[in-house]
Amino acid sequence: RGNPLPRSPSGRVILLTWWFFVMLITCMYGANLTAFMTLDKQGVPINEPQELLQQKVYRWGLQHKSITAVLLKHHVNQDYQTLANESTNVESFQDGIARVHEGGFALIEDTLWLQYNTSNDCDIFFIGERLLSIPVAFGLPMHSPYAMLFNKQILRYREEGYFKRSLE
């Protein structure tokens, strides 16, 4: 009947070396496959929008005259105002996404809008938490002289936690 395992010590060393080699190749293949299928966020050293101000690798942009641009320009936090003032204006959302695909560019836009329009784009990912989340809107007439004053005051109340305190 024959024994499939070698009897001599040298044959056993050769068989052990072969199986060690097979295991090594299998583990390396599995590790490379996992690394290939995992999205690499380690190359992006930014976790919050304010960190864009302290680095020189990435440029950032806002869609020209979007609500996000207006909110950042009139934000109570000086870092957000600086972020808006030093940003590159993109003419359209598609233009901003095209610049992101070219590399070295971050588009700052409404989270829901980004999620909806980039849901099938695996090359784009989000960093950090939502930047500006405002669940309530107020309507004023077009070209109202009070719109700017109203927006600044509501934003100040929100950032100071007035709405949270008043709801408790």
Side-chain angles (χ1 to χ4, degrees), residues 84-97:
N85 292 332
E86 293 182 9
S87 69
T88 303
N89 285 333
V90 293
E91 292 301 318
S92 67
F93 181 76
Q94 288 77 16
D95 181 32
I97 293 298

Side-chain angles (χ1 to χ4, degrees), residues 85-156:
N85 292 332
E86 293 182 9
S87 69
T88 303
N89 285 333
V90 293
E91 292 301 318
S92 67
F93 181 76
Q94 288 77 16
D95 181 32
I97 293 298
R99 289 186 184 191
V100 170
H101 279 290
E102 290 171 6
F105 189 80
L107 179 64
I108 301 172
E109 188 56 71
D110 180 54
T111 306
L112 293 175
W113 180 250
L114 281 171
Q115 286 175 341
Y116 177 75
N117 286 292
T118 61
S119 61
N120 293 329
D121 193 348
C122 296
D123 294 332
I124 295 177
F125 56 91
F126 300 92
I127 297 175
E129 298 177 13
R130 289 185 175 194
L131 180 61
L132 300 169
S133 178
I134 300 176
V136 179
F138 295 93
L140 292 174
M142 288 280 269
H143 308 295
S144 171
Y146 305 109
M148 186 71 69
L149 179 65
F150 189 80
N151 286 341
K152 281 185 177 182
Q153 196 61 38
I154 293 295
L155 192 58
R156 183 171 288 122

Side-chain angles (χ1 to χ4, degrees), residues 1 24 28 41 69-70 83 98 130 143 145-146 153 160:
R1 286 195 319 166
L24 181 69
M28 287 175 49
K41 290 186 181 181
V70 171
L83 197 66
R130 289 185 175 194
H143 308 295
Y146 305 109
Q153 196 61 38
E160 291 174 358

Side-chain angles (χ1 to χ4, degrees), residues 5 19 32 43 50 52 55 57-59 64 73-74 76 89 92 129 131 139 153 162:
L5 297 176
W19 283 114
N32 282 333
Q50 295 92 334
L52 286 168
Q55 56 83 40
V57 177
Y58 292 93
R59 297 203 31 87
H64 187 62
K73 285 180 183 176
H74 299 96
V76 175
N89 285 333
S92 67
E129 298 177 13
L131 180 61
Q153 196 61 38
Y162 176 78

